[in-house]
Amino acid sequence: MDPVGVAAALDAGPGRAWQSKCPWGAPNTTSISCSLADVMSEQLAKELQLEEENAAFPEVVAVAEGPFITGENVDTSSDLMLAQMLQMEFDREYDAQLRREERKINGDSKVSISFENYRKVHPYDSDSSEDEVDWQDTRHDPYRADKPTTTPRRGFIGKGKDITTKHDEVVCGRKNTARMENFAPEFQVGDGIGMDLKLSNQVFNALKQHAYSEERRSARLHEKKEHSTAEKAVDPKTRLLLYKMVNAGMLETITGCISTGKESVVFHAYGGKSATEDKLKIPPECAIKVFKTTLNEFKNRDKYIKDDYRFKDRFSKLNPRKIIRMWAEKEMHNLTRMQNAGIPCPQVVILKKHVLVMSFIGQEQVPAPKLKDVTLSSEDMKKAYYQILNMMQQLYKECNLVHADLSEYNMLWHDGKVWLIDVSQSVEPTHPHGLEFLFRDCRNVSQFFQKGGVAEALNERELFNAVSGLNITADNEVDFQAEIEALEKMNEDHVQNHGKKLSMLSTDGDPPIYDE
Ligand code: ADP
Ligand code: MN
């Protein structure tokens, strides 16, 4: 019956009185906007489906519209990512189920058993909100090699007279059967529903062992297929970010890890095709620097950023996760300044949250050696020294920067010259400790080259004056440093009085920040 028919029937009959009192009001014949045919139409079904999918996978959709995607791979390229998302969803659901079972079994018993060891998602990673402080910023360092978790094994359950020890064979057997369900999903344990299966500890342990080694084996196979061990070293969210870059065709493959430092993990990748032809020029080989995110590192480093007036307003308002992104952002800005001044350094490709993609210094997956690892002829050593002196001056005068971690560890020897890297901590000279950092840089450089036999190498105080253009005359280190600190104090007053007018931070020419 069509809607008009219904209304007419209601109109004619005794339903009329009811209708006027009806708490839902009179049926409105005009408000029905689509016919049955419409409702049954495939087109509408498709649209609704799409809408639902959009709601369920907003991130995936964001990628499809992302800056790197090229027209031809919009439809298919997100399969892998979709799988990742689904896996994450699945893991979460799995853990929720685990928690429900845990609650059911424990009831309000004082002594409880824990299923923690069977969880898929790390407890501190269960927070889905992007901007909340999560495990990355607190207790768990995902980059450290996995240690086996040591949850104390409770040997008994129940209370009062009903304590059942783990040695009760029947209970234990049933429990083992139940726990078997918690093996990896691809591990077929059969369907024991409705059967009172009791697995002995011995059988259960053998099965468990087998399930684990199966899981590891399939992980290994999977890894081989991916040609990548890189993904293992990062947390799921970072992995997803990297996947997105590969999916979008921006990177061809991520081949592996170059370095796992205290503050970052660096990967090598082959560059993909450039999506936005005009802006993004992707080098054939890239280095991906993933900033590590433990609270301890902030404590060590926040003196660099906290007092940097460029970031001052933002610092206090930010949560640790955002501060990490700021390190990446800082490195990007500093590299761009250096690039503009013509200092040999990696070229920024793109910044995504705490992941910075830049050009790779080296060749065919082999990174250029650090200055500390390379043996140079005395001629090259001298050449390197003068080049560094020059670069330090340029950095100071043209980029308005002090490296602040300059040493033979952060200089690469490539193509017959020195390349500067690792500038996330670099600050402007007017930073409250900028000149102290510069002095430390000078000491490292001067010691390295004096030890390396470069007779012309200036000592640290001479180098400091040569780089900064200041003329501190103290002839011993203590007095020299006292003068540096006095200057810093003056600088700080100046910056505070003049606020940001002194800022040299220019966003011109900086690459775009794609930050969802
Ligand atoms: P960290 O803060 O961990 O010291 P770095 O930026 O110094 O981070 O990178 C760590 C290591 O990774 C470097 O010592 C270098 O060997 C390698 N590396 C970093 N960036 C590049 C790059 N663009 N090209 C080649 N190797 C790089
Ligand atoms: Mn470094």
Side-chain angles (χ1 to χ4, degrees):
M1 194 186 281
D2 70 7
V4 179
V6 174
L10 279 173
D11 237 28
R16 215 184 167 140
W18 169 82
Q19 199 185 70
S20 59
K21 281 187 204 144
C22 171
W24 296 284
N28 187 350
T29 51
T30 51
S31 72
I32 293 168
S33 58
C34 64
S35 69
L36 188 64
D38 278 340
V39 173
M40 298 302 285
S41 96
E42 261 185 55
Q43 177 63 28
L44 189 69
K46 264 191 201 150
E47 278 170 11
L48 287 173
Q49 169 83 14
L50 215 66
E51 240 175 68
E52 239 167 67
E53 276 171 12
N54 284 358
F57 304 106
E59 272 227 70
V60 177
V61 172
V63 171
E65 292 164 358
F68 324 122
I69 291 268
T70 52
E72 73 263 25
N73 58 9
V74 167
D75 287 332
T76 54
S77 71
S78 61
D79 280 359
L80 183 57
M81 215 149 46
L82 206 63
Q84 287 276 309
M85 301 292 296
L86 286 169
Q87 183 65 49
M88 281 190 191
E89 257 331 279
F90 174 84
D91 289 350
R92 284 218 170 85
E93 270 172 32
Y94 175 92
D95 286 354
Q97 176 63 22
L98 212 60
R99 268 195 295 278
R100 276 195 293 276
E101 277 176 31
E102 199 177 79
R103 258 202 306 273
K104 206 168 109 195
I105 287 176
N106 291 329
D108 48 9
S109 159
K110 280 203 182 103
V111 187
S112 61
I113 60 163
S114 164
F115 285 1
E116 192 145 310
N117 283 353
Y118 298 99
R119 286 210 203 161
K120 291 265 175 204
V121 184
H122 192 279
Y124 308 129
D125 190 27
S126 54
D127 175 17
S128 59
S129 159
E130 268 295 292
D131 290 322
E132 293 301 316
V133 178
D134 66 8
W135 56 271
Q136 283 209 353
D137 316 316
T138 51
R139 285 165 280 186
H140 181 71
D141 181 354
Y143 304 98
R144 217 176 289 142
D146 271 345
K147 262 193 269 157
T149 33
T150 50
T151 315
R153 297 239 173 251
R154 277 82 175 191
F156 49 87
I157 54 167
K159 56 182 170 182
K161 267 187 275 172
D162 301 326
I163 284 188
T164 308
T165 74
K166 67 177 174 190
H167 305 296
D168 184 304
E169 227 173 86
V170 174
V171 173
C172 203
R174 286 194 188 121
K175 226 165 27 179
N176 282 344
T177 309
R179 280 156 77 192
M180 192 171 67
E181 308 276 322
N182 295 329
F183 292 161
E186 60 274 15
F187 185 74
Q188 299 297 328
V189 292
D191 183 3
I193 293 173
M195 290 182 245
D196 191 15
L197 289 175
K198 298 175 214 57
L199 288 183
S200 74
N201 280 351
Q202 204 186 352
V203 173
F204 175 76
N205 284 336
L207 267 173
K208 189 168 92 173
Q209 200 48 51
H210 180 62
Y212 284 174
S213 49
E214 274 297 293
E215 209 177 344
R216 276 201 302 274
R217 195 178 63 92
S218 80
R220 268 202 307 276
L221 282 178
H222 179 72
E223 206 170 274
K224 265 191 200 152
K225 239 193 273 168
E226 296 282 329
H227 296 289
S228 163
T229 50
E231 60 203 67
K232 289 248 136 184
V234 295
D235 63 87
K237 281 175 188 163
T238 308
R239 212 177 307 158
L240 197 63
L241 263 178
L242 298 179
Y243 271 130
K244 283 182 187 177
M245 291 181 184
V246 175
N247 261 333
M250 199 196 89
L251 299 176
E252 183 67 43
T253 39
I254 300 174
T255 60
C257 183
I258 306 169
S259 141
T260 47
K262 227 167 60 211
E263 290 151 359
S264 72
V265 184
V266 181
F267 298 110
H268 171 274
Y270 283 109
K273 49 187 178 299
S274 178
T276 43
E277 280 80 8
D278 43 344
K279 270 210 165 159
L280 221 58
K281 188 104 182 59
I282 300 163
E285 288 184 82
C286 295
I288 307 170
K289 186 165 177 177
V290 178
F291 284 76
K292 276 171 68 166
T293 49
T294 49
L295 198 59
N296 282 345
E297 305 306 335
F298 298 128
K299 290 223 169 96
N300 298 339
R301 302 185 93 200
D302 70 1
K303 69 170 185 287
Y304 290 99
I305 208 164
K306 201 172 68 207
D307 298 329
D308 188 330
Y309 70 88
R310 290 185 286 169
F311 295 88
K312 216 166 202 157
D313 293 344
R314 297 163 63 186
F315 189 81
S316 59
K317 295 184 199 117
L318 295 177
N319 65 36
R321 187 180 262 285
K322 287 200 175 145
I323 294 172
I324 293 151
R325 292 192 202 168
M326 215 141 84
W327 283 110
E329 197 187 320
K330 219 164 165 254
E331 175 130 32
M332 176 195 73
H333 284 303
N334 292 342
L335 281 176
T336 308
R337 284 193 196 184
M338 289 159 70
Q339 198 76 44
N340 290 343
I343 295 173
C345 68
Q347 173 139 33
V348 174
V349 177
I350 201 163
L351 173 72
K352 267 234 157 210
K353 295 183 177 172
H354 58 294
V355 175
L356 180 67
V357 182
M358 55 189 144
S359 64
F360 179 71
I361 313 300
Q363 212 170 18
E364 290 180 26
Q365 300 185 41
V366 183
K370 299 181 184 80
L371 220 50
K372 79 163 180 77
D373 290 328
V374 77
T375 319
L376 297 180
S377 66
S378 57
E379 198 183 319
D380 274 344
M381 197 69 173
K382 194 168 135 185
K383 193 171 125 191
Y385 171 73
Y386 279 109
Q387 195 206 329
I388 290 164
L389 172 61
N390 221 311
M391 285 198 290
M392 287 177 84
Q393 288 175 328
Q394 270 183 296
L395 198 61
Y396 190 95
K397 299 204 171 84
E398 292 170 41
C399 308
N400 198 35
L401 283 176
V402 169
H403 188 290
D405 193 16
L406 193 64
S407 73
E408 58 275 25
Y409 288 81
N410 281 329
M411 296 189 266
L412 305 182
W413 181 255
H414 178 65
D415 239 3
K417 61 183 171 192
V418 178
W419 298 64
L420 292 190
I421 59 162
D422 201 0
V423 290
S424 63
Q425 73 294 315
S426 300
V427 295
E428 301 200 340
T430 49
H431 180 285
H433 303 289
L435 295 181
E436 287 166 80
F437 296 150
L438 177 62
F439 190 52
R440 198 177 59 194
D441 286 354
C442 290
R443 189 188 298 138
N444 291 340
V445 169
S446 148
Q447 276 174 7
F448 177 77
F449 285 99
Q450 283 178 343
K451 274 189 201 147
V454 178
E456 295 88 342
L458 300 172
N459 72 34
E460 62 221 45
R461 296 185 299 276
E462 294 164 335
L463 185 57
F464 179 93
N465 282 338
V467 169
S468 65
L470 295 167
N471 192 21
I472 299 179
T473 49
D475 61 356
N476 65 80
E477 180 155 346
V478 176
D479 291 346
F480 202 90
Q481 269 192 325
E483 279 197 49
I484 285 177
E485 277 162 40
L487 275 173
E488 281 177 342
K489 177 98 188 46
M490 254 170 61
N491 263 335
E492 199 175 357
D493 292 344
H494 183 78
V495 170
Q496 252 151 34
N497 291 338
H498 296 81
K500 287 182 177 169
K501 278 185 197 140
L502 270 184
S503 170
M504 301 279 285
L505 184 69
S506 149
T507 47
D508 288 355
D510 276 335
I513 304 169
Y514 295 111
D515 201 9
E516 301 149 335

